[in-house]
Amino acid sequence: MKKSLLLAAGVAMAGFGVWSLYVASRYQALCELSYFSASAAEIKLCDERASELRGR
């Protein structure tokens, strides 16, 4: 039981690490800002830029 909880926690932490790396690199590449230190307005503007690029 304890091993399965540790395994589940490890998988969850690894998944979060991969997700945060993906999100951070996407915003850094597209808008040259850090997702984790950007304001909500900056993130919204970056998302709007991304949707404009996808629409083309």
Side-chain angles (χ1 to χ4, degrees):
M1 177 85 172
K2 187 176 182 180
K3 286 183 182 181
S4 62
L5 286 176
L6 289 174
L7 178 63
V11 168
M13 288 187 333
F16 177 76
V18 169
W19 172 83
S20 65
L21 181 63
Y22 167 74
V23 168
S25 64
R26 186 178 92 179
Y27 282 96
Q28 179 67 36
L30 183 60
C31 300
E32 297 179 0
L33 59 88
S34 171
Y35 176 78
F36 300 104
S37 64
S39 68
E42 290 172 324
I43 291 174
K44 183 178 178 183
L45 181 62
C46 190
D47 287 339
E48 289 172 2
R49 287 182 191 170
S51 65
E52 288 174 5
L53 290 174
R54 279 185 236 129
R56 291 183 180 184

